[in-house]
Amino acid sequence: MFEQWIQWLPGLLSGLQTSLAVTGLSLLLGLPLGLLFAFGMISRTRILRQTTILIVELGRGIPLLVVLYVVYFGLPDGGIVLESFAAAVVAIAFNTGAYTSEIFRAGLLSVPRGHIEAAQSLGLNWTDEARYIVLPQALRAIVPPLMSYSVIVFQATSLGYAIALPELLNSAYQIGSVTFEFLSVFILAGLIYAALSIVVSRFVDAIHSKTSH
Amino acid sequence: MIDNQQNRTQGAAGTTDAQKAPQLQLKDIHKEFNGNTVLSDISLDVNAGEVVAFIGPSGAGKSTLLRCVNYLETPSSGDLLIDGKPTVKIASKPTRNELMNLRRQVGMVFQSFNLFPHISVLRNVALPQERVLGRSRKEAEERAMELLTRVGLGDKADARPSKCSGGQQQRIAIARALALDPEIMLFDEPTSALDPELGGEVLAVMQELAATGMTMLVVTHEMSFARRVSDRTVFMADGRIVEQGAPEQVFGAPREARTKKFLEAVLER
Amino acid sequence: MIEAIPFLLQGLGTTVIITFGSFLIGAFCAVPLALARLSDIVPLRLLATAYIEVVRGIPPIAWMLVLFYGLGRYVTLPPLLAACLALGAVSTAYLAENYRAGIQAVAGGQWEGAGALGLSKGDTFWRVIAPQGIGVALPPSASYAVGLLKDSAVASVIGVSDIAFQALTLNQQGNPGLPIFLAAGVVYLVVSVPMAVLARKADTFIRTRSAV
Ligand SMILES: Nc1ncnc2c1ncn2[C@@H]1O[C@H](COP(=O)(O)OP(=O)(O)OP(=O)(O)O)[C@@H](O)[C@H]1O
Ligand SMILES: [Mg+2]
């Protein structure tokens, strides 16, 4: 079995590369989106607030797989044709934005009201207030859950299988359909997913218990 | 020990130039929260260098009034003038520029200090100068150091605020506000969160500041401070100014029954 | 386009069956797993921990493929059963962690107190600890059920005719994809939003009740 595994590893690792690329790009686009949504959700402008909440609820209420189908199979009807890689990034980034907005929002709200009033009474404008006072403090509450969330994003890239994205799970499936050793190759792929997820989660826990002291 | 030269001359003798408009004027300041009136048409003139103490029962609207002066609360209606000039064109709709200008002239000290916990004491005092006044980092930190030394906390410059006692934190907060060279200082119960000894340190700093001629509006539960330090004591209840006058008069011979009742209750304790 | 709606709704039943079925599997199997996770017997505890960590480390869609294609050589599972088992295995791991938090939230003094009264370990667990821990474990488990509803969409990749699968079928029959998949999304929302609201209600209800 191990000989087979060694034989398959290069194929799976190239799939893993795609998974990681989608993870990275989705976070790169999705996290700023999440921050934007968070600002929208706590905005004083009612229309802005309600629109954002609606978008976020859509992003959280609709299964990511269906969002992926919308982007990959649906958008071409609107004249937007995306390859599976781009479609996966767009769908997962949107999903990430919707889910992390709650993390950002909680982080922003964790900054005591008094600090914001102090910043205002000192005459700081709102960008300075955000940059020097609110975000640095909020970051402490935000970073650990965001790191945990990146594990979820990594796992979510496996949905790319459904739109023929050559990521890790799909690579395993391709190998299986040639060798008919589905179980064995899926176990190997699963171990790769689990190993990465567990390592990152443990790392986050370690940081978390360090900073909370 | 804290100087404020331009105010000192007019401050102590605010009557020398009788034509000059009061430094701060509140005209019919009205404030409602969801239909509940919290301030009903408050008018008040404060001269440069004057120290005005606000006393009154809980819920009287003292904090709200103070917070209207730097627009942390937006008044529902009314006018706010500094040196005779309106600070905000439409009272209930301040523009960003108007707010910036107003807050540059008015400093505020809070009951809960509100120092920024993620930066050092020195940076707390220097950062606003850099961002608001555009001072260089060096210039701002020099000024910060100078003020910290004056409030007796030069040795705490590199510490985090959380490593300082409450009294020290409040003195740092005062230094932070003063570093922006405000013309008017607002204090909302600056000693209420402190035990008497630490509160004493803070009151001493405030007393010295008053002696330099700073215009000060102080909401306080410290009757002795109001009595000793203020030029004028304002008694508020139910969103109105019930009575105001020299502290000897308000404390010694209150005219209104409501004031008497409040003072009896407070002084009995 | 209107004709598509009943076709999608046919998938709704299947989606609910997968969600409900896998949640039930998880809710039951998580009890022994949580107890094993807290057990004094080291190998048992390690095994339970390993199960929880590994299962949660592998995406649900991968479990789906493992059970359907991976085991396909040995047993041919009907797709619906494979989907329920796969998601059931995953929810077992997640729910066990919720149960564990619930059990641990009950103060240690309760065990001693019950022991002093002469209650057996089993009685103590079922009559003293579990009723108290459920308040802690229930709210996150209810939100997990909402998550499970959305995860159930991955069953479509092994041909279970749930909402997502029905939408795919319609699309492959030549209907425009955009309105179809959006409509599918709305059908999920119609179920998931009330579920989420209920979960939140249950949460506040339990909080206020246990605060008294
Ligand atoms: N943000 C707000 N929303 C609604 N009501 C408010 C708000 N802020 C203050 N109030 C109400 O306005 C009234 C005056 O409050 P304020 O804090 O100004 O009183 P105060 O005189 O400072 O009292 P204290 O001595 O307790 O500080 C109170 O009835 C209070 O409940
Ligand atoms: Mg107050």
Side-chain angles (χ1 to χ4, degrees), chain C residues 10-11 15 25-26 28 46 56 61 64 67 71 73-74 87 104 119 125 131 142 163 170 179 185 198 202 205 210:
Chain C
Q10 280 174 23
T15 293
I25 294 175
F28 274 110
L46 287 181
R56 294 199 307 175
I61 187 174
M64 209 69 78
L67 262 80
L71 294 185
R73 219 194 221 187
Y74 313 98
L87 288 177
Q104 286 183 327
L119 283 177
F125 179 75
I163 302 167
L170 282 169
L198 261 167
F205 175 73
S210 58

Coordinates of all heavy atoms in Angstrom, one line a residue, chain C residues 10-11 15 25-26 28 46 56 61 64 67 71 73-74 87 104 119 125 131 142 163 170 179 185 198 202 205 210:
Chain C
Q10 N -39.2 18.8 -4.7 CA -39.1 17.4 -4.5 C -37.8 17.1 -3.8 O -37.7 16.1 -3.0 CB -39.1 16.7 -5.9 CG -40.5 16.5 -6.4 CD -40.4 15.9 -7.9 OE1 -39.4 15.3 -8.3 NE2 -41.4 16.2 -8.6
G11 N -36.8 17.9 -4.1 CA -35.5 17.6 -3.4 C -35.5 18.0 -2.0 O -34.7 17.5 -1.2
T15 N -33.4 16.5 1.2 CA -32.5 17.3 2.0 C -32.8 17.2 3.5 O -31.9 17.0 4.3 CB -32.5 18.8 1.5 OG1 -32.0 18.9 0.2 CG2 -31.7 19.7 2.5
I25 N -28.1 10.3 13.9 CA -26.9 9.4 14.1 C -25.9 10.1 15.0 O -25.4 9.5 16.0 CB -26.3 9.1 12.7 CG1 -27.2 8.3 11.9 CG2 -24.9 8.3 12.9 CD1 -26.7 8.0 10.5
G26 N -25.6 11.3 14.7 CA -24.6 12.1 15.5 C -25.0 12.2 16.9 O -24.2 12.0 17.8
F28 N -26.9 10.4 18.8 CA -26.8 9.2 19.6 C -25.3 8.8 19.8 O -24.9 8.6 20.9 CB -27.5 8.0 18.9 CG -29.0 8.0 19.3 CD1 -29.9 8.4 18.3 CD2 -29.4 7.6 20.5 CE1 -31.3 8.3 18.7 CE2 -30.7 7.6 20.9 CZ -31.7 8.0 20.0
L46 N -7.6 8.4 24.1 CA -6.8 8.7 22.9 C -7.5 8.4 21.6 O -7.6 9.1 20.7 CB -5.5 8.0 23.0 CG -4.5 8.6 24.0 CD1 -3.2 7.8 23.9 CD2 -4.2 10.0 23.8
R56 N -13.0 15.6 12.0 CA -13.2 17.0 11.8 C -12.2 17.6 10.9 O -12.4 18.7 10.3 CB -13.2 17.8 13.1 CG -14.4 17.4 14.0 CD -14.6 18.4 15.1 NE -13.4 18.7 15.9 CZ -13.4 19.6 16.8 NH1 -14.4 20.4 17.0 NH2 -12.2 19.9 17.4
I61 N -17.4 16.4 2.2 CA -17.5 15.9 0.8 C -16.6 14.7 0.6 O -16.9 13.8 -0.1 CB -17.3 17.0 -0.2 CG1 -17.6 16.5 -1.6 CG2 -15.9 17.6 -0.2 CD1 -17.6 17.6 -2.7
M64 N -18.1 11.7 2.0 CA -19.1 11.3 1.1 C -18.5 10.3 0.0 O -19.0 9.3 -0.3 CB -19.7 12.5 0.4 CG -21.1 12.5 0.0 SD -22.3 12.4 1.4 CE -22.4 14.0 1.9
L67 N -17.2 6.9 1.5 CA -18.2 5.9 1.7 C -18.9 5.4 0.4 O -19.2 4.2 0.3 CB -19.3 6.5 2.6 CG -19.1 6.1 4.1 CD1 -18.1 6.9 4.7 CD2 -20.4 6.1 4.9
L71 N -15.8 2.6 -0.4 CA -16.3 1.3 0.0 C -17.0 0.6 -1.1 O -17.4 -0.6 -0.9 CB -17.3 1.5 1.2 CG -16.7 2.1 2.5 CD1 -17.7 2.1 3.6 CD2 -15.5 1.2 3.0
R73 N -16.2 -1.0 -3.5 CA -15.6 -2.3 -3.9 C -16.1 -3.4 -3.0 O -16.2 -4.6 -3.4 CB -14.1 -2.2 -3.7 CG -13.4 -2.9 -4.8 CD -12.0 -3.0 -4.4 NE -11.1 -2.8 -5.5 CZ -9.8 -3.0 -5.3 NH1 -9.2 -3.3 -4.2 NH2 -9.0 -2.8 -6.4
Y74 N -16.5 -3.0 -1.7 CA -16.8 -4.1 -0.8 C -18.3 -4.1 -0.6 O -18.9 -5.2 -0.5 CB -16.1 -3.8 0.6 CG -14.6 -3.5 0.4 CD1 -14.2 -2.2 0.3 CD2 -13.7 -4.5 0.1 CE1 -12.8 -1.9 0.1 CE2 -12.4 -4.3 -0.1 CZ -11.9 -2.9 -0.1 OH -10.6 -2.7 -0.3
L87 N -22.3 12.0 6.7 CA -22.5 13.2 7.5 C -22.8 12.8 9.0 O -22.5 13.6 9.9 CB -23.7 14.0 7.0 CG -23.4 14.7 5.7 CD1 -24.7 15.4 5.2 CD2 -22.3 15.7 5.9
Q104 N -18.4 19.1 31.0 CA -17.4 19.8 31.8 C -17.9 21.1 32.5 O -17.3 21.6 33.4 CB -16.2 20.1 30.9 CG -15.4 18.8 30.6 CD -14.2 19.0 29.8 OE1 -14.1 19.9 29.0 NE2 -13.1 18.2 30.0
L119 N -25.5 8.1 45.2 CA -26.0 7.8 43.8 C -24.9 7.0 43.1 O -23.7 7.3 43.3 CB -26.3 9.1 43.1 CG -27.6 9.8 43.4 CD1 -27.7 11.1 42.7 CD2 -28.8 8.9 43.1
F125 N -24.6 10.5 36.4 CA -24.5 11.1 35.0 C -25.9 11.4 34.4 O -26.1 12.6 34.0 CB -23.7 10.2 34.1 CG -23.6 10.7 32.7 CD1 -22.7 11.8 32.5 CD2 -24.4 10.3 31.7 CE1 -22.6 12.3 31.2 CE2 -24.3 10.9 30.4 CZ -23.4 11.9 30.2
P131 N -28.7 16.5 32.7 CA -29.8 17.5 32.7 C -29.2 18.9 32.8 O -29.8 19.9 32.2 CB -30.7 17.2 33.8 CG -30.4 15.8 34.2 CD -29.0 15.5 33.8
A142 N -27.8 23.0 18.2 CA -28.8 23.4 17.3 C -28.2 24.2 16.2 O -28.7 24.0 15.0 CB -29.8 24.3 18.1
I163 N -32.0 19.0 -3.0 CA -32.3 20.3 -3.7 C -31.2 20.6 -4.7 O -31.5 20.9 -5.9 CB -32.4 21.4 -2.7 CG1 -33.5 21.1 -1.6 CG2 -32.7 22.7 -3.4 CD1 -33.5 22.0 -0.4
L170 N -32.0 20.0 -13.6 CA -32.7 21.0 -14.4 C -31.7 21.7 -15.3 O -32.0 21.9 -16.5 CB -33.4 22.0 -13.5 CG -34.7 21.5 -12.8 CD1 -35.1 22.5 -11.8 CD2 -35.8 21.4 -13.9
P179 N -31.1 31.4 -12.7 CA -32.4 31.5 -11.9 C -32.6 30.2 -11.1 O -33.1 30.2 -10.0 CB -33.5 31.7 -12.9 CG -32.9 31.4 -14.2 CD -31.4 31.6 -14.1
G185 N -31.0 28.1 -3.9 CA -30.5 28.8 -2.7 C -31.6 29.3 -1.9 O -31.6 29.2 -0.6
L198 N -34.9 29.6 15.3 CA -35.3 28.7 16.4 C -34.1 28.4 17.3 O -34.3 28.4 18.5 CB -35.9 27.4 15.8 CG -37.4 27.3 15.8 CD1 -37.8 26.2 14.9 CD2 -37.9 27.2 17.2
A202 N -34.0 29.1 21.2 CA -33.7 28.1 22.2 C -32.5 28.5 23.1 O -32.5 28.4 24.3 CB -33.3 26.8 21.5
F205 N -33.7 31.2 25.4 CA -34.6 30.6 26.4 C -33.8 29.9 27.5 O -34.0 30.1 28.7 CB -35.5 29.6 25.7 CG -36.4 28.9 26.6 CD1 -37.5 29.5 27.3 CD2 -36.2 27.6 26.9 CE1 -38.3 28.9 28.1 CE2 -37.0 26.9 27.8 CZ -38.1 27.5 28.4
S210 N -31.7 29.3 32.9 CA -30.6 28.9 33.8 C -30.0 30.0 34.6 O -29.3 29.8 35.6 CB -29.5 28.2 33.0 OG -29.0 29.0 32.0

